[in-house]
Amino acid sequence: MDMLYYPGCTLKTSAKNLETSAMAIAEKLGYRLVEMEEWNCCGVVASLTSDDLMHHLAPLRNLIHIEDQKQDKVVVLCDMCYNTLKQTDIRVKESQSDLDTLNDFMDKENDYNNTVNIMHFLEFLRDEVGFATLKKKVKKPLKGLKVMPYYGCMLLRPREVAIDDAEDPKIFSDLIKALGAEVVNNPFNIECCGSYRTIDQKELTSRRAKNISSFALEHDADVIMLSCPLCKYNLDVRGKEAESMYDGYRQLPTLYFTQLIALALGLDAESLGLDLNAVDPNPILKKKGVID
Amino acid sequence: MSTESENDCEHPETSKEIKLAGKLVDEVLELCDENVFGCYQCGTCASGCPFVEEMDLTPDEVIRHIILDKKEVLNSKTIWLCSTCFICAERCPRDINITVLMEALRQIVLRLSIDETEITCLSEEEKKNIPQMAFVSLFRKNIG
Ligand code: SF4
Ligand code: SF4
């Protein structure tokens, strides 16, 4: 079955392994992620002031092009794209006058008619495929692998866009269990990773990575599972840099949820971009028998 | 704790004097529809904020500054440290969206043509590897 898919800029450059692993697992589950035509950058962060409509143009143009393709549903892999598209969608659903202004401004485009359902790929796996079905397709259960789920911000906040309970999400833990691995819960798993501060405040971001990961390290987690390319960069690269700032600190490897699903479905580890990490996950995956 | 190190980019404008003609609260409420006067200073926003240790004003103090017309809040590090994570907004028992208020304060500064960040600190490798989403976000939040 074909599913329309919005990639966003980062998946085409620094997070190619998120895209390829997602495509591979979708195929294994009987779906095909079909990249939408004529997409542009989502704008990345939602504009929050009431008078700023300009920054809703980029996300809205994407939604228009989804309607142009006669589709009413789109799957998104990047957390920030998901959040931004969804916030714009909510704003124009709640305000007809804002929608009219934006539609009028983009006079070369068709009008947006509020028909698109934006779904994160995680929601798609939980609600359309079903974790029970996914579990049945697991070929190589990740037995003995201790996984800390890390949500970050964009899947859960603001509340209106949350794919799960904003304070006590379960979607990653349920997924980890479906894959046969063990969950290491962490009270810091919905806290911000430092986000774009990674550019202008590197040490601060390293501290965030350490604060988030330390608890998991102390509770013997093997790897961190996450979904956002920016969280991944910050926990992985800035977390690695934290090792030289804090005595005895060791950064845990990070993996996209799609990579762990792919390994459990028995897909070839070579094709999953596991080497695109500052902290190499291969040794622990080998030790735990997840890869050969 | 210091928020800057030699490793970090420059923050050239935080010390610049910012002059506003009107009252701060009026300028803020031009940009958003939050009931700042409803804040009862419980500190929930501050206790959950992941950056509070690095801030010079806690989020609840920021609200107080807006109400009391203390314009020096526009020179605070806090408004630029805020990463728009929405934890405070999610938890405020008075349903005040502090995340949006932080954005309004940043916008007041940025709309005076004052940029906050100069990208002076990245290695070639970082320019290549840091996800684009980080660059676009930072430019959107810190540069007018
Ligand atoms: S959580 Fe809300 S009510 Fe409490 S101090 Fe912060 S803004 Fe005020
Ligand atoms: S949105 Fe900003 S002020 Fe609020 S908790 Fe997050 S970083 Fe702190």
Side-chain angles (χ1 to χ4, degrees):
Chain A
M1 193 176 142
D2 284 358
M3 286 297 309
L4 196 70
Y5 153 64
Y6 171 87
C9 313
T10 300
L11 265 71
K12 294 294 177 187
T13 48
S14 52
K16 283 187 182 140
N17 47 355
L18 175 55
E19 181 177 54
T20 47
S21 52
M23 297 247 177
I25 60 176
E27 198 183 312
K28 197 86 180 160
L29 297 167
Y31 296 87
R32 198 165 65 104
L33 295 180
V34 181
E35 185 172 320
M36 66 173 280
E37 287 164 20
E38 288 283 320
W39 61 268
N40 51 263
C41 171
C42 67
V44 189
V45 278
S47 61
L48 300 177
T49 52
S50 47
D51 65 345
D52 180 5
L53 280 180
M54 180 76 98
H55 289 105
H56 289 287
L57 288 170
L60 194 70
R61 187 173 179 272
N62 286 310
L63 301 180
I64 291 170
H65 290 170
I66 294 164
E67 285 187 344
D68 287 350
Q69 284 187 247
K70 309 273 178 276
Q71 300 287 323
D72 59 5
K73 198 185 316 180
V74 67
V75 169
V76 186
L77 268 164
C78 169
D79 293 12
M80 287 183 100
C81 297
Y82 164 78
N83 193 292
T84 309
L85 292 170
K86 194 94 177 176
Q87 287 205 55
T88 291
D89 188 51
I90 289 171
R91 174 143 180 180
V92 298
K93 278 201 170 88
E94 285 175 353
S95 169
Q96 186 62 43
S97 70
D98 284 353
L99 178 57
D100 291 344
T101 308
L102 289 161
N103 275 336
D104 287 350
F105 186 83
M106 286 191 279
D107 56 0
K108 298 264 188 315
E109 305 281 352
N110 289 320
D111 282 356
Y112 182 56
N113 295 306
N114 273 328
T115 61
V116 178
N117 178 14
I118 302 153
M119 264 191 144
H120 193 279
F121 190 54
L122 273 163
E123 285 179 291
F124 173 74
L125 292 174
R126 178 191 60 193
D127 304 337
E128 304 251 324
V129 178
F131 288 164
T133 308
L134 179 65
K135 189 176 176 179
K136 283 191 203 129
K137 305 229 171 180
V138 166
K139 290 241 158 48
K140 245 184 130 181
L142 308 178
K143 228 168 151 257
L145 190 71
K146 293 184 175 176
V147 185
M148 171 193 131
Y150 175 67
Y151 294 89
C153 310
M154 296 291 139
L155 293 174
L156 303 174
R157 296 184 298 273
R159 197 178 312 163
E160 300 74 41
V161 309
I163 68 165
D164 202 346
D165 187 301
E167 288 286 353
D168 186 23
K170 297 270 189 295
I171 189 165
F172 270 148
S173 328
D174 291 344
L175 175 59
I176 291 166
K177 285 181 214 154
L179 302 178
E182 201 179 306
V183 181
V184 178
N185 265 321
N186 180 343
F188 304 103
N189 69 8
I190 62 165
E191 280 195 2
C192 178
C193 67
S195 190
Y196 48 88
R197 297 272 85 94
T198 199
I199 295 175
D200 66 345
Q201 309 230 7
K202 300 180 204 175
E203 290 188 11
L204 170 99
T205 313
S206 290
R207 273 198 291 284
R208 291 302 311 140
K210 177 198 157 260
N211 289 349
I212 289 161
S213 312
S214 289
F215 184 91
L217 187 65
E218 286 157 20
H219 290 78
D220 296 326
D222 297 317
V223 296
I224 298 172
M225 177 202 256
L226 40 66
S227 53
C228 172
L230 186 49
C231 297
K232 182 151 179 16
Y233 182 86
N234 287 345
L235 294 192
D236 183 41
V237 177
R238 297 290 177 238
K240 177 88 187 148
E241 288 163 10
E243 290 179 353
S244 60
M245 293 164 60
Y246 299 95
D247 271 353
Y249 179 66
R250 177 175 66 81
Q251 181 58 44
L252 289 169
T254 51
L255 289 160
Y256 288 120
F257 68 102
T258 48
Q259 292 174 313
L260 282 168
I261 298 173
L263 290 169
L265 293 178
L267 289 163
D268 179 19
E270 300 277 302
S271 64
L272 300 176
L274 295 174
D275 50 337
L276 300 174
N277 281 290
V279 183
D280 185 2
N282 285 295
I284 187 70
L285 293 176
K286 273 190 191 136
K287 190 173 158 199
K288 293 283 174 140
V290 175
I291 57 173
D292 303 324
Chain B
M1 196 181 281
S2 159
T3 54
E4 287 173 40
S5 76
E6 59 190 25
N7 228 347
D8 289 330
C9 289
E10 285 172 34
H11 297 263
E13 304 293 359
T14 32
S15 57
K16 202 166 194 167
E17 198 188 340
I18 297 163
K19 290 213 166 73
L20 285 187
K23 275 197 170 168
L24 182 58
V25 70
D26 295 335
E27 300 254 352
V28 167
L29 296 182
E30 279 280 301
L31 299 175
C32 65
D33 190 22
E34 295 302 319
N35 180 20
V36 283
F37 298 104
C39 168
Y40 52 30
Q41 290 287 294
C42 65
T44 305
C45 48
S47 68
C49 174
F51 300 100
V52 73
E53 282 174 31
E54 335 265 344
M55 288 174 168
D56 46 3
L57 292 173
T58 57
D60 54 319
E61 286 175 328
V62 166
I63 309 262
R64 218 51 180 166
H65 274 64
I66 296 172
I67 294 171
L68 298 175
D69 201 33
K70 293 171 92 170
K71 298 188 177 80
E72 59 267 33
V73 66
L74 298 171
N75 291 101
S76 70
K77 284 184 177 161
T78 294
I79 61 174
W80 306 105
L81 274 168
C82 167
S83 70
T84 324
C85 82
F86 282 98
I87 280 251
C88 51
E90 171 59 30
R91 295 182 180 167
C92 173
R94 301 286 288 160
D95 227 6
I96 298 164
N97 196 325
I98 304 102
T99 313
V100 166
L101 290 169
M102 293 283 184
E103 177 108 332
L105 293 168
R106 285 190 295 269
Q107 281 295 317
I108 289 171
V109 179
L110 295 175
R111 291 179 191 194
L112 295 167
S113 300
I114 300 173
D115 290 342
E116 165 57 19
T117 304
E118 273 180 30
I119 307 298
T120 50
C121 57
L122 297 179
S123 66
E124 285 309 310
E125 202 188 343
E126 284 174 322
K127 283 183 198 156
K128 207 171 98 221
N129 293 336
I130 292 177
Q132 279 84 338
M133 57 212 286
F135 288 99
V136 182
S137 315
L138 182 78
F139 296 156
R140 289 272 311 272
K141 294 292 178 191
N142 281 26
I143 295 175

